[in-house]
């Protein structure tokens, strides 16, 4: 589970419900910094069990580079509503169409960034219609299904969700968490931090986790199809990742003729592990994208 540095939007950012042709989605919208020439808009999609708050550390450095950034909770994620039990509402094609509507509402064309699961949803959106986008960044998001070890973890979660409610599953996850991780979380933010994480967990719909967890475990390789799309691509990751091994990400970047960025001393969430280095790599890539 990703751990945002804070659930409080950064200075100048606004949290609100973005109205789209496919309903409302909770966003954190950060404008370009005062006195800086606007260079573009970026739409940021979080990963599995994540939320828009995962991108909070990126907003300020990207605003200083001239980019308005809009981080969004997808359907059924945290503060965006969705069906409680209808898994078909969370089919990848449905989530991809949501992204197209979000881009239109924000003000297309936008730079699109997807983290982990969000990367695969982003890819599906671009394959449906690339016109609303200036570029695509796949952050810690691989070419096909997740690694075998991560598939086992997702299967355990899906089995638990089939037998327990969200609060019971949360308690079970906390009971299984290593004591050193609990201590680290307490040092980083104390009980308030864990309360925020629990509130995010309880706000997410079980059907969304079950459906998207299945997608992560069965996603086909669509890199060849994506490579035909006339957009600039960026494959960004930390230098350690057990969800998609780095050689897979390296090979995907070659197949896409994409820019490849490896952020040192970062793992599956470079956006929270090394936000300044990650923001710099993103802005450098966006600066070179065609207008």
């Amino acid at each position: 589970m990703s751990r945002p540095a804070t659930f409080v939007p950064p200075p100048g950012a606004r949290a609100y419900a973005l109205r789209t042709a496919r309903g409302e989605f909770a966003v954190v919208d950060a404008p370009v910094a005062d006195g800086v020439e606007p260079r573009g808009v970026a739409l940021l999609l979080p990963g599995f069990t994540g939320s828009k708050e995962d991108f909070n550390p990126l907003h300020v450095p990207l605003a200083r580079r001239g980019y308005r950034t809009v981080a969004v909770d997808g359907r059924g994620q945290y503060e965006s509503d969705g069906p409680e039990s209808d898994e078909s509402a969370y089919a990848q094609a449905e989530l991809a169409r949501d992204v197209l509507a979000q881009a239109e509402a924000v003000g297309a064309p936008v730079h699109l960034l997807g983290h982990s699961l969000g990367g695969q949803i982003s890819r599906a959106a671009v394959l449906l219609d690339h016109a609303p986008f200036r570029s695509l960044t796949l952050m810690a998001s691989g070419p096909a299904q997740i690694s075998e070890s991560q598939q086992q973890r997702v299967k355990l979660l899906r089995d638990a969700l089939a037998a327990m409610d969200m609060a019971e599953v949360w308690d079970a996850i906390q009971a299984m968490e290593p004591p050193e991780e609990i201590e680290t979380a307490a040092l980083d933010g104390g009980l308030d931090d864990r309360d925020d994480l629990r509130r995010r967990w309880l706000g997410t719909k079980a059907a969304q986790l079950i459906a998207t967890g299945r997608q992560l475990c069965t996603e086909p390789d669509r890199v060849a199809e994506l490579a035909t799309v006339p957009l600039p691509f960026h494959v960004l990751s930390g230098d350690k990742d057990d969800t998609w091994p780095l050689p897979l990400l390296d090979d995907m970047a070659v197949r896409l003729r994409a820019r490849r960025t490896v952020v040192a001393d970062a793992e599956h969430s470079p956006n929270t592990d090394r936000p300044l280095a990650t923001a710099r790599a993103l802005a450098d890539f966006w600066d070179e994208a065609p207008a």
Side-chain angles (χ1 to χ4, degrees), residues 150-169:
Q150 291 298 317
Q151 288 186 46
Q152 293 302 316
R153 295 182 66 177
V154 171
K155 183 180 185 302
L156 285 173
L157 175 59
R158 289 172 54 204
D159 290 346
L161 290 170
M164 297 183 280
D165 63 28
M166 290 291 285
E168 291 170 333
V169 173

